[in-house]
């Protein structure tokens, strides 16, 4: 994957979404990354942020790739110090934002 493709994918990440296997393939995520990152997730119902929605419907379980994990993988590919960012940021959204900012600022 080249830098331009990686940055385009990163721009779609927000930290809160789980991308379906179908969507990952449509977006040309490398199969090796799919194998590495694909997982099954369960909804929690204590708060809305724990609940998984697919096509505007609540689902109990969902197989896919969390976009925060994809953002981290993209960051690693582009030589960002992802471990530092993950250790310093309290939320998935903040992790994605910091990866983007590191790339914009040239902080590798």
């Amino acid at each position: 994957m080249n830098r331009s493709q990686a940055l385009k994918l990163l721009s779609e990440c927000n930290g809160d979404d789980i991308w379906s296997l179908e969507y990952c393939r449509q977006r040309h995520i490398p199969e090796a990354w799919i194998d590495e990152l694909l997982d099954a997730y369960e909804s929690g119902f204590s708060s809305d942020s724990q609940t998984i929605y697919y096509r505007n419907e609540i689902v109990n379980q969902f197989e896919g790739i969390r976009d925060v994990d994809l953002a981290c993988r993209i960051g690693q590919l582009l030589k960002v110090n992802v471990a530092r960012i993950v250790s310093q940021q309290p939320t998935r959204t903040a992790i994605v934002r910091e990866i983007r900012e590191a790339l914009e600022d040239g902080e590798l």
Side-chain angles (χ1 to χ4, degrees):
M1 173 180 306
N2 66 42
R3 182 179 177 85
S4 176
Q5 292 168 313
L7 292 173
K8 186 173 181 179
L9 287 173
L10 182 60
S11 74
E12 292 186 48
C13 298
N14 63 34
D16 289 329
D17 291 337
I18 303 171
W19 293 13
S20 70
L21 180 58
E22 175 186 354
Y23 188 73
C24 289
R25 289 193 170 129
Q26 288 173 356
R27 303 303 300 142
H28 305 289
I29 306 296
E31 285 296 321
W33 289 15
I34 291 172
D35 292 342
E36 174 187 342
L37 301 173
L38 187 67
D39 208 344
Y41 298 93
E42 287 191 28
S43 280
F45 298 102
S46 299
S47 70
D48 192 55
S49 66
Q50 296 175 342
T51 305
I52 300 171
Y53 294 87
Y54 182 66
R55 297 184 176 153
N56 297 321
E57 297 287 330
I58 294 174
V59 295
N60 289 327
Q61 295 181 344
F62 190 79
E63 184 177 55
I65 294 177
R66 295 185 321 163
D67 69 347
V68 66
D69 295 333
L70 180 59
C72 288
R73 188 67 184 85
I74 291 167
Q76 291 169 345
L77 174 74
L78 299 176
K79 309 292 189 218
V80 171
N81 187 343
V82 172
R84 179 188 56 79
I85 291 171
V86 169
S87 72
Q88 294 177 348
Q89 297 306 316
T91 65
R92 296 181 308 259
T93 304
I95 290 168
V96 172
R97 183 183 63 247
E98 287 297 315
I99 290 170
R100 282 192 193 126
E101 287 179 11
L103 287 166
E104 290 170 6
D105 297 341
E107 297 174 23
L108 307 175

